[in-house]
Amino acid sequence: MNHIQIGQTHIQLLQGDITVQQVDAIVNAANSSLLGGGGVDGAIHRAGGSAILEECQQIRNRQGGCATGDAVITTAGRLPAKHVIHTVGPVWNGGSNNERQLLADCYVHSLQLADEHQLISIAFPNISTGIYDFPKKEAAIIALQTVKEYIEQHPDTLLQQIIFVCYDADNLTLYEQQIQAMN
Ligand code: AR6
């Protein structure tokens, strides 16, 4: 199963590269510096070009980066998406450092920014499950549950399409299992 509908909002799973998604915003698993890095962050900056980094630098000058769990929005440069929402996931450090709540905050703050900008569609990567080492199964449960709760609590959201773009097959399977359990 790779789809669930809550109100007017479709939550969808797919496997692939988030940089090619034609949506209003793709979400970047960034770091607090907002200056780029490896993983999906590197792929987004490479494909989107220097306009994204320039706006990230302006945000740094204004507010000194982005705290873990927070999110900021920029242009998407050359990408097919219109915006990039940069959020900073927690580094997994055993689970007793508020990692779960901070991961949920990433999803909520990204959705809030999308709603503030009246976006219709958004694509998320599997935040924190790469270099930041968050256990994949728990991250999938938190991601889907948090997004579902947000939509239920915001019946006036304009978001019609929320895509989870899983890069690796492991994550896709975990998301499929979780979405099945939610139906
Ligand atoms: N499209 C979709 N998902 C991808 C792509 C892609 N092109 N490339 C990788 N992933 P990671 P994190 C998946 O490491 O764990 C950076 O250096 C990947 O398989 O990108 O939040 C930042 O600057 C994994 O499932 O992000 C930070 O310093 C998921 O994206 C740090 O890494 C997240 O993996 C953030 O670490």
Side-chain angles (χ1 to χ4, degrees), residues 16-18 29 31 37-41 43 126 128-132 167-168 171:
D17 179 357
I18 202 165
N31 61 61
V40 69
D41 194 7
N126 310 132
S128 281
T129 67
I131 294 162
Y132 281 178
Y167 199 58
D168 52 273
N171 263 318

Side-chain angles (χ1 to χ4, degrees), residues 63 66-67 69-73 85-88 105-106 109-111 113:
Q63 66 181 57
C66 182
D70 279 352
V72 298
I73 188 166
I85 293 176
H86 308 260
T87 188
V88 182
D105 290 348
C106 288
H109 289 143
S110 298
L111 293 168
L113 267 183

Side-chain angles (χ1 to χ4, degrees), residues 16-20 28-33 35-44 46 87-91 103 124-134 136 165-168 171:
D17 179 357
I18 202 165
T19 65
V20 302
N28 181 17
N31 61 61
S32 297
S33 78
L35 294 178
V40 69
D41 194 7
I44 288 172
R46 266 195 310 278
T87 188
V88 182
V91 178
L103 184 62
F124 283 101
N126 310 132
I127 301 165
S128 281
T129 67
I131 294 162
Y132 281 178
D133 211 22
F134 204 106
K136 288 181 181 179
V165 181
C166 301
Y167 199 58
D168 52 273
N171 263 318

Side-chain angles (χ1 to χ4, degrees), residues 51-53 55 73-79 81-86:
I52 301 177
L53 190 58
E55 265 194 56
I73 188 166
T74 67
T75 175
R78 293 193 301 258
L79 296 173
K82 295 187 189 128
H83 304 276
V84 176
I85 293 176
H86 308 260

